[in-house]
């Protein structure tokens, strides 16, 4: 029910910044939770940051204070501002949308195609 289109990935020097964008096919206010995950080579996919339809946010400890998740409701877009990047942030970053629906509160999860972020020293 939700299509996600990501942009903004690329190469950046350590200490620099990038902003990732995730455009959704419907209002972000109708999506229970949107977030950014990342997967580095040899590692499992991990949550980076998330925002609920009510505006609550949470971050992985490794990025708190450096990354900020935000949204533009008019553009149906969620952003991830990444500052003070280091090589450990190198990964494929995926946008995710979670919708909880039904009598038993089933959770449906939708994923973007992923965008590569590479941080070099």
């Amino acid at each position: 029910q939700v299509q996600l289109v990501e942009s903004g990935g690329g190469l950046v020097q350590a200490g620099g910044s990038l902003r990732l964008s995730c455009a959704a096919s419907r209002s972000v206010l109708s999506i229970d939770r949107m977030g950014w995950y990342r997967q580095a080579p040899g590692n499992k996919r991990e949550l980076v940051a998330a925002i609920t339809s009510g505006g609550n946010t949470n971050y992985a400890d490794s990025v708190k204070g450096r990354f900020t998740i935000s949204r533009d409701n008019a553009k149906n877009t969620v952003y991830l501002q990444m500052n003070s990047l280091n090589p450990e942030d190198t990964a494929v970053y995926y946008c995710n949308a979670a919708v909880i629906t039904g009598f038993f509160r089933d959770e449906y999860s939708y994923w973007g195609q992923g965008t590569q972020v590479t941080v070099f020293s």
Side-chain angles (χ1 to χ4, degrees):
Q1 295 185 31
V2 183
Q3 288 77 50
L4 305 170
V5 180
E6 299 162 311
S7 62
L11 276 67
V12 64
Q13 190 173 6
S17 299
L18 283 175
R19 189 181 75 163
L20 306 182
S21 299
C22 175
S25 60
R26 74 188 204 192
S27 173
V28 294
L29 297 177
S30 72
I31 301 171
D32 293 289
R33 185 178 68 253
M34 296 196 68
W36 290 94
Y37 292 71
R38 68 186 182 187
Q39 187 167 15
N43 294 340
K44 296 181 178 180
R45 190 172 300 183
E46 63 176 354
L47 175 68
V48 177
I51 184 169
T52 69
S53 60
N56 293 326
T57 60
N58 65 280
Y59 299 89
D61 289 339
S62 60
V63 308
K64 197 167 187 176
R66 299 188 297 121
F67 292 9
T68 303
I69 188 169
S70 62
R71 69 188 183 201
D72 186 329
N73 298 333
K75 295 181 178 179
N76 293 341
T77 299
V78 172
Y79 303 96
L80 184 67
Q81 179 67 45
M82 304 185 293
N83 298 326
S84 301
L85 286 162
N86 59 65
E88 287 71 33
D89 297 315
T90 295
V92 178
Y93 284 70
Y94 298 90
C95 184
N96 172 263
V99 180
I100 301 173
T101 186
F103 183 80
F104 297 104
R105 295 182 60 81
D106 300 310
E107 181 169 320
Y108 296 86
S109 187
Y110 305 88
W111 294 91
Q113 78 285 354
T115 183
Q116 176 70 46
V117 172
T118 302
V119 185
F120 62 93
S121 301

